[in-house]
Amino acid sequence: MSDTSREQLDASRARMVEFWRCHDEMEARLSRPLTERMLDLAGVSRRMHVLDVASGRGEPAVPAAHRVGPQGRVLGIDLVDGVLELARARARREGLENIAFQVADAETLQAGAGTFDVATLRWGLMYMRAPERALASIHRALKPGGALVIASWAEPARVPWASLARRILERYREVPPLPSADEPGVFRHADPAVLEAALVRNGFSVKASEELEVPVVESSDARDLVTWIQQLGGPVVKLVGELPEPRQRAWEAELLAELERRRTGDKVSLGGVTRLTLGTALAAGLI
């Protein structure tokens, strides 16, 4: 990687850390039912060892640490130490001593063969360069029969937090197509067959799949959600920034109006449908 590319990556990660420093508490609260359902599906209980991949700010790692208790263990891994610092701070606030966070690449993870009872992966696999290498690494880290629960997003029409701004932008300019299923992106595993086939190829038996509606941002003022989208950034926000200023304002006004139509009571929220996929690690002789 060139020095310029590394500087751009470091700057992008720094912006991401600051974004989540502002919004972590809200997102963790809104998505807590998803976290609990992931842990329920995986059967997380006392004394277990849990691996949380792409752990970020500690979801579901921190709640998992409460479940496994003092004689259990949770390891959360992520590529970005800045977001892991947010997770470490949360674990300290909650008095947890059975959890650790470390910088590691899931695609080349060396965590010890057959070490973990459960692995969780919430909204991370779809962004990886080589997700099947990550699945293979996780399989090695799990005990035979160990559970892996993955949270991924459904198709764009049912995930407005990631698609609404784009859909409105299409009224103002040509928008490049979404990444294909073999490229990193929010909707990489929107087709459940793609993820399930990858799990089978990497030593897992698919046991269950279910869907859950999850809010990720809310406010009493729809303008706060527009700001959230702009701060989150990404290709759509960049494309909006290339429009003449009057058209940028028109895009923002249409987005605001669409958000207001979604108001329920005194709150406006954005989220989407998440699919939970449960796999069980097969023993080497059964693959």
Side-chain angles (χ1 to χ4, degrees), residues 107-277:
E107 297 170 18
T108 56
L109 178 64
Q110 299 295 325
T115 301
F116 296 93
D117 302 288
V118 167
T120 53
L121 212 174
R122 196 184 87 154
W123 299 335
L125 187 67
M126 64 264 195
Y127 295 120
M128 295 181 187
R129 297 181 305 272
E132 295 209 28
R133 290 181 60 187
L135 291 175
S137 294
I138 294 168
H139 184 274
R140 285 193 297 273
L142 283 170
K143 299 173 182 177
L148 167 62
V149 177
I150 299 172
S152 52
W153 292 106
E155 65 277 7
R158 295 197 291 157
V159 187
W161 78 262
S163 63
L164 178 62
R166 176 190 178 88
R167 176 166 59 80
I168 294 173
L169 181 59
E170 289 171 347
R171 304 168 190 169
Y172 292 89
R173 62 169 296 167
E174 184 177 350
V175 178
L178 290 166
S180 65
D182 59 355
E183 297 176 298
V186 175
F187 303 111
R188 188 180 205 160
H189 297 129
D191 180 354
V194 173
L195 177 56
E196 291 178 13
L199 283 164
V200 170
R201 284 192 296 270
N202 289 279
F204 292 91
S205 172
V206 177
K207 296 299 185 183
S209 178
E210 62 183 52
E211 294 183 345
L212 187 66
E213 181 84 34
V214 183
V216 296
V217 57
E218 73 173 13
S219 176
S220 58
D221 189 340
R223 285 184 291 267
D224 292 341
L225 273 66
V226 175
T227 300
W228 183 90
I229 290 170
Q230 292 168 329
Q231 291 176 346
L232 181 63
V236 168
V237 173
K238 182 177 183 297
L239 291 170
V240 170
E242 295 171 357
L243 292 171
E245 188 172 334
R247 292 177 71 79
Q248 291 185 40
R249 291 198 298 268
W251 169 84
E252 185 173 325
E254 283 204 51
L255 177 57
L256 184 62
E258 179 62 35
L259 289 167
E260 281 292 351
R261 284 192 284 272
R262 294 167 179 266
R263 179 178 293 277
T264 301
D266 65 347
K267 295 290 185 182
V268 181
S269 66
L270 267 182
V273 173
T274 286
R275 183 175 297 108
L276 299 181
T277 305

